Amino acid sequence: MSKKKNSVTDKDILDPQEMFLTVELDEGGTETFQILKIFEAGGRDYIAVCPVDGSEDVYFYRHFEDADGNPSVGNIESDEEFEIVIDAFDELLDEELFDEM
């Protein structure tokens, strides 16, 4: 699993109907991700995504909604926060695998 280190701006688009996220990259251009899961960890909401280019990497961002329910994402600010997110995501995966048994 990887941590994406690109700045997230207001131009980022989260389309919950299509379940894709397009991020503007620091070096220019954009990258599109498929949304895997929106989940809570440490009192905040996060989003797990993977590139649509077929890569098996998973990236994580903070997930926000404004008063009107419009979603946006932000960067994870520290290694400690990232560890909390990874641990919560791993627990979710373990629970889903257990439920499938």
Side-chain angles (χ1 to χ4, degrees):
M1 293 186 211
S2 301
K3 179 177 178 182
K4 192 76 170 178
K5 292 194 176 195
N6 290 309
S7 294
V8 179
T9 67
D10 290 339
K11 294 181 182 176
D12 297 332
I13 301 165
L14 177 62
D15 186 344
Q17 300 223 347
E18 293 295 324
M19 300 304 291
F20 290 94
L21 168 72
T22 301
V23 176
E24 188 174 299
L25 304 175
D26 286 344
E27 21 337 295
T30 60
E31 187 166 358
T32 301
F33 299 93
Q34 181 175 8
I35 297 171
L36 301 175
K37 190 99 173 147
I38 298 173
F39 61 99
E40 189 273 331
R44 292 185 172 150
D45 289 331
Y46 295 92
I47 187 168
V49 298
C50 67
V52 295
D53 66 7
S55 169
E56 293 183 14
D57 291 334
V58 175
Y59 299 99
F60 300 92
Y61 292 98
R62 288 183 182 172
H63 179 265
F64 306 96
E65 286 189 13
D66 65 17
D68 295 326
N70 298 313
S72 63
V73 295
N75 290 323
I76 293 173
E77 299 297 324
S78 69
D79 290 339
E80 293 80 20
E81 180 183 5
F82 184 69
E83 287 301 318
I84 291 169
V85 172
I86 291 295
D87 289 344
F89 188 72
D90 284 344
E91 283 182 36
L92 287 171
L93 290 178
D94 289 345
E95 288 172 13
E96 287 179 9
L97 287 173
F98 182 78
D99 289 345
E100 289 178 6
M101 296 173 129

